[in-house]
């Protein structure tokens, strides 16, 4: 047997082994086990993994698809039902507790047909954000096409072990590396370091729900995020982020915001610089610019046990564009307030994420 045949047999054997490894790999069971372990350490969310399969080249693993769910009451991607603004019908007794025939409520106690909102009072389709999609779940979700992880094998015998990763969502991608600090490959890591780059990651219909009002947001995100933390207390780590949001759309059904013309806002760009240390998040800079207004914001957020318990201590300036100030003519006091400043109207935000308090300051 000559050398050429030996090489062909070797290549065939390797290719066949790789093929059967991929085909027979229990990807769904491994993915379910991995998701269960991750979810046991999460407080305010859940991750679902479809399959985990070997990836070549380079040698690594591929998770696809991946879904992240937010199960807290503040961040959702659902839309209000079409009949949410209609008055609720009188409470009917449950099936097992029906009143006797003589105790039925009289017809006159039922809401009259004239009290129902007319068809013209329903929110028009044009008032909804263009990208809204109705969902049946009360949880916000982020769907990721796949996440690929590739270990750097030459670092596995070192204390600092490196993994490269890539995640894709539509036309956007997140790439970077993870450093795990561990004395040996058999021991669990004590610390984790994440260096991530975001490129055109699009998020749609994210709902922020505070007491008394809701906001719906859609945007495209680019930027860099660095984070390090002990594995056992990963939420108490430190890091920094420099992020830019573009094509940002914010909508709200709040009546006051509608009257002021702020119910639907668009921002061409929002530049954000953040730092995190232990349980404090510092907003070094937030500059938002759009056709309606400009906003500058900075301050601190004290992180609580849950997102809704985070305390706010933020200050900023709000500067409506001249064309928008004219639309406030029906609200004389507000119009005078905005038109009287050349630098913007200072304001502060206190309270919690669940119950924010926004107060305009004297110029």
């Amino acid at each position: 047997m000559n050398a050429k045949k030996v090489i062909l047999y070797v290549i065939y054997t390797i290719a066949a082994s790789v093929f059967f490894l991929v085909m027979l790999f229990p990807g769904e069971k491994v993915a379910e086990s991995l998701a269960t372990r991750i979810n046991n350490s999460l407080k305010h969310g859940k991750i679902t993994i479809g399959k985990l399969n070997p990836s070549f080249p380079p040698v690594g693993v591929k998770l696809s698809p991946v879904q992240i769910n937010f199960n807290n009451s503040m961040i959702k991607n659902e839309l209000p039902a079409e009949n949410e603004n209609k008055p609720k019908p009188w409470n009917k007794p449950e099936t097992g507790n029906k009143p006797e025939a003589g105790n039925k409520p009289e017809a006159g106690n039922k809401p009259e047909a004239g009290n129902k909102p007319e068809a013209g009072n329903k929110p028009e389709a044009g008032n909804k954000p263009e990208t809204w999609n109705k969902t049946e779940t009360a949880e916000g979700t982020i769907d990721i096409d796949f996440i690929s992880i590739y270990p750097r094998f030459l670092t596995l015998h070192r204390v600092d072990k490196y993994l490269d990763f890539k995640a894709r969502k539509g036309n956007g991608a997140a790439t970077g590396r993870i450093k795990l600090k561990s004395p040996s490959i058999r021991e669990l890591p004590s610390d984790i370091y994440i260096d991530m780059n975001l490129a055109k990651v699009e998020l749609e219909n994210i709902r922020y729900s505070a007491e008394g009002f809701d906001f719906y947001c859609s945007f495209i995100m680019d930027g860099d995020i660095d984070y390090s933390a002990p594995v056992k207390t990963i939420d108490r780590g430190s890091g920094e982020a420099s992020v830019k949001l573009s094509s940002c759309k914010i909508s709200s059904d709040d009546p006051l915001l509608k009257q002021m013309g702020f119910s639907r806002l668009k921002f061409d760009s929002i530049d954000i610089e953040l730092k995190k240390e232990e349980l404090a998040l510092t907003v070094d800079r937030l500059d938002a610019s759009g056709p309606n207004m400009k906003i500058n914001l900075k301050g601190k957020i004290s992180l609580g046990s849950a997102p809704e318990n985070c305390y706010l201590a933020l200050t900023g300036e709000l500067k409506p564009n001249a064309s928008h100030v004219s639309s406030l003519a029906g609200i004389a006091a507000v119009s005078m307030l905005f038109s009287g400043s050349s630098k913007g109207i200072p304001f502060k935000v206190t309270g919690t994420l669940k119950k924010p308090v926004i107060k305009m300051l004297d110029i």
Side-chain angles (χ1 to χ4, degrees):
M1 184 179 294
N2 57 34
K4 184 177 181 180
K5 288 184 177 180
V6 171
I7 294 173
L8 290 176
Y9 275 118
V10 171
I11 294 175
Y12 172 80
T13 303
I14 295 175
S17 300
V18 171
F19 175 78
F20 284 108
L21 175 63
V22 174
M23 294 299 295
L24 300 178
F25 189 81
E28 294 184 2
K29 292 184 178 180
V30 175
E32 183 179 354
S33 176
L34 176 62
T36 300
R37 291 191 176 188
I38 295 175
N39 291 330
N40 288 337
S41 63
L42 296 178
K43 295 181 180 180
H44 308 291
K46 178 182 178 182
I47 187 170
T48 304
I49 304 172
K51 289 184 178 180
L52 186 152
N53 288 321
S55 177
F56 307 97
V59 180
V61 295
K62 183 177 182 179
L63 293 69
S64 62
V66 179
Q67 185 180 79
I68 302 174
N69 296 270
F70 301 98
N71 59 8
N72 64 75
S73 61
M74 295 184 59
I75 303 177
K76 305 177 182 179
N77 70 345
E78 66 171 359
L79 288 177
E82 291 183 359
N83 60 351
E84 186 179 56
N85 295 326
K86 293 182 180 180
K88 296 181 180 180
W90 48 279
N91 296 327
K92 296 180 181 180
E94 299 178 2
T95 306
N97 298 324
K98 288 183 177 180
E100 298 179 3
N103 295 329
K104 290 183 179 179
E106 299 178 4
N109 294 332
K110 295 181 180 179
E112 299 177 5
N115 293 333
K116 294 182 179 179
E118 299 178 3
N121 293 333
K122 294 182 180 179
E124 299 178 4
N127 292 332
K128 296 180 180 179
E130 294 86 340
T131 56
W132 279 13
N133 294 313
K134 294 183 179 179
T135 61
E136 298 297 331
T137 176
E139 299 178 339
T141 61
I142 296 178
D143 294 308
I144 301 173
D145 300 337
F146 69 84
I147 300 176
S148 296
I149 303 174
Y150 311 105
R152 298 185 186 179
F153 292 99
L154 296 179
T155 67
L156 295 182
H157 68 284
R158 303 175 184 172
V159 174
D160 294 335
K161 301 166 178 56
Y162 288 89
L163 306 172
D164 294 323
F165 67 88
K166 179 178 181 179
R168 179 164 292 280
K169 182 184 186 304
N171 296 324
T175 57
R177 67 175 184 173
I178 301 172
K179 183 175 75 171
L180 301 173
K181 192 170 185 178
S182 176
S184 69
I185 194 171
R186 296 182 180 181
E187 297 185 36
L188 293 176
S190 59
D191 298 279
I192 184 172
Y193 304 84
I194 301 174
D195 180 6
M196 180 167 55
N197 173 262
L198 304 171
K200 299 186 182 303
V201 177
E202 185 173 359
L203 298 179
E204 297 181 344
N205 309 326
I206 302 299
R207 176 184 176 185
Y208 166 69
S209 180
E211 188 170 287
F213 58 90
D214 294 335
F215 286 103
Y216 301 86
C217 303
S218 298
F219 52 83
I220 299 174
M221 181 165 51
D222 297 85
D224 297 290
I225 299 175
D226 296 319
Y227 190 77
S228 62
V231 172
K232 292 184 179 180
T233 55
I234 195 168
D235 59 332
R236 292 176 177 264
S238 61
E240 58 184 26
S242 179
V243 179
K244 180 176 182 178
L245 309 183
S246 57
S247 301
C248 184
K249 300 175 184 178
I250 303 175
S251 302
S252 175
D253 291 331
D254 182 72
L256 179 58
L257 293 179
K258 283 186 176 181
Q259 186 180 8
M260 295 177 63
F262 295 158
S263 61
R264 299 187 66 188
L265 297 175
K266 293 183 179 181
F267 292 97
D268 300 323
S269 65
I270 302 178
D271 296 314
I272 306 173
E273 292 185 3
L274 303 172
K275 288 182 181 177
K276 182 182 182 299
E277 295 180 357
E278 291 289 332
L279 295 178
L281 183 65
T282 302
V283 181
D284 289 331
R285 182 172 71 95
L286 188 154
D287 295 332
S289 177
N292 299 108
M293 67 180 66
K294 295 180 180 179
I295 298 176
N296 302 316
L297 190 68
K298 61 182 180 179
K300 287 191 176 183
I301 301 175
S302 299
L303 305 179
S305 57
E308 53 265 32
N309 296 330
C310 296
Y311 288 93
L312 308 174
L314 304 169
T315 59
E317 287 186 344
L318 172 63
K319 174 68 174 177
N321 294 339
S323 58
H324 189 73
V325 172
S326 61
S327 67
L328 302 174
I331 312 175
V334 177
S335 178
M336 291 176 61
L337 179 65
F338 284 121
S339 61
S341 173
S342 59
K343 296 183 179 180
I345 304 302
F347 67 93
K348 67 177 181 179
V349 184
T350 56
T352 64
L353 281 177
K354 185 66 177 177
K355 298 179 180 179
V357 178
I358 303 175
K359 182 179 180 182
M360 293 293 180
L361 304 178
D362 295 333
I363 302 174

